[in-house]
Amino acid sequence: MRIILLGPPGAGKGTQSQFLMQHLGIVQISTGDMLRAAVKSGSSLGMRADAMMQTGDLVPDDLIVDLVRQRVQETDCVGGFLFDGFPRTLAQAQALKDTGIKIDCVLHIAIPNSEIINRLAGRRVHLASGRSYHIVYSPPKQENIDDLTGEALIQREDDREATIKKRLEVYQEQTAPLIDFYRQQAAQGEVACCEISGVGAVEEIQRNMIAAIDAATAK
Ligand code: AMP
């Protein structure tokens, strides 16, 4: 099973990816997590990406496409994978199509902007695992501490309000057009495409996601 999770920043892609990974037994490929690891390691890719990530801009397509191309060749991807945060531009989506990698399902998580700002500004993450919490809706047991490892949680630089607004603009301009791109492919039977609401209880969203994937891939 190969899935693309599409949706604005703050739609819950990270949380839902972790669930889908376990439920479907596939690996998560988060380009955002890969870039943050590159920044942390001080690699040349990390140094190039750092400033763009902090301002909420997108990292150039060629860097991302290379990163993903290498990642999908690793052995753990054989059983399937889930793209979280990729593709984010039409050029990336076209490059993915050109690789010939067949995608089974594009799942679009839809959510209003007002909800996004509220969610992202309260988000705290455990960097090593990608686990995320919300200071009001899903707080850790102990303030600013990851429940499983006892390590500190952080607020991502790009989760500050000015950067969130910029990321939403970037999403509208560059990533939202992918919804139509995949709808057109779905109309030609090349991929299944479905939309679910990202608002509501996490368990309910998970149930809707599984039902949508089952229905889409059964066709
Ligand atoms: P995310 O964790 O997916 O929200 O990504 C954080 C940041 O990493 C984004 O705001 C971009 O600067 C960069 N990034 C992640 N994935 C991509 C991508 N597919 N294309 C370009 N930039 C990306």
Side-chain angles (χ1 to χ4, degrees):
M1 175 74 76
R2 294 169 182 158
I3 297 177
I4 293 175
L5 214 50
L6 204 61
K13 296 192 298 299
T15 305
Q16 303 304 355
S17 304
Q18 299 228 345
F19 164 76
L20 286 175
M21 234 168 84
Q22 284 164 10
H23 188 83
L24 301 171
I26 56 179
V27 294
Q28 173 199 20
I29 302 182
S30 158
T31 42
D33 284 351
M34 290 166 84
L35 291 169
R36 278 183 287 279
V39 170
K40 207 174 162 202
S41 76
S43 69
S44 61
L45 167 68
M47 287 194 283
R48 285 187 67 184
D50 194 17
M52 291 171 255
M53 291 174 74
Q54 284 196 30
T55 54
D57 285 304
L58 293 185
V59 172
D61 290 330
D62 55 339
L63 292 185
I64 296 289
V65 170
D66 280 351
L67 197 66
V68 171
R69 236 191 233 124
Q70 285 171 24
R71 180 67 186 89
V72 293
Q73 278 165 15
E74 288 174 27
T75 46
D76 61 345
C77 292
V78 171
F81 51 79
L82 178 149
F83 283 131
D84 162 12
F86 173 86
R88 247 177 162 103
T89 63
L90 282 171
Q92 291 178 17
Q94 190 57 51
L96 174 63
K97 192 167 182 231
D98 294 344
T99 62
I101 294 171
K102 167 105 177 70
I103 300 296
D104 298 294
C105 184
V106 177
L107 193 60
H108 169 214
I109 307 184
I111 175 169
N113 278 3
S114 52
E115 174 81 15
I116 292 173
I117 294 174
N118 182 9
R119 278 191 193 183
L120 289 185
R123 177 160 77 172
R124 300 293 180 272
V125 296
H126 177 241
L127 212 50
S129 67
R131 252 186 307 284
S132 70
Y133 300 83
H134 188 281
I135 50 173
V136 178
Y137 305 129
S138 53
K141 293 192 183 103
Q142 207 184 327
E143 197 180 344
N144 269 327
I145 300 290
D146 177 49
D147 287 350
L148 297 190
T149 62
E151 290 167 354
L153 302 178
I154 58 143
Q155 179 174 39
R156 282 171 42 174
E157 276 301 320
D158 57 355
D159 277 348
R160 299 180 198 275
E161 198 157 332
T163 317
I164 294 171
K165 290 194 172 134
K166 167 79 185 196
R167 287 165 68 204
L168 287 176
E169 278 168 32
V170 168
Y171 177 81
Q172 274 314 322
E173 278 167 25
Q174 306 206 50
T175 310
L178 295 187
I179 299 166
D180 271 345
F181 177 86
Y182 285 117
R183 278 192 187 136
Q184 279 165 23
Q185 285 191 31
Q188 289 165 13
E190 292 173 16
V191 70
C193 197
C194 43
E195 178 174 310
I196 58 151
S197 164
V199 183
V202 174
E203 297 75 19
E204 185 192 344
I205 299 170
Q206 288 169 349
R207 270 197 304 277
N208 292 341
M209 255 183 346
I210 294 299
I213 293 172
D214 284 349
T217 52
K219 280 181 194 157

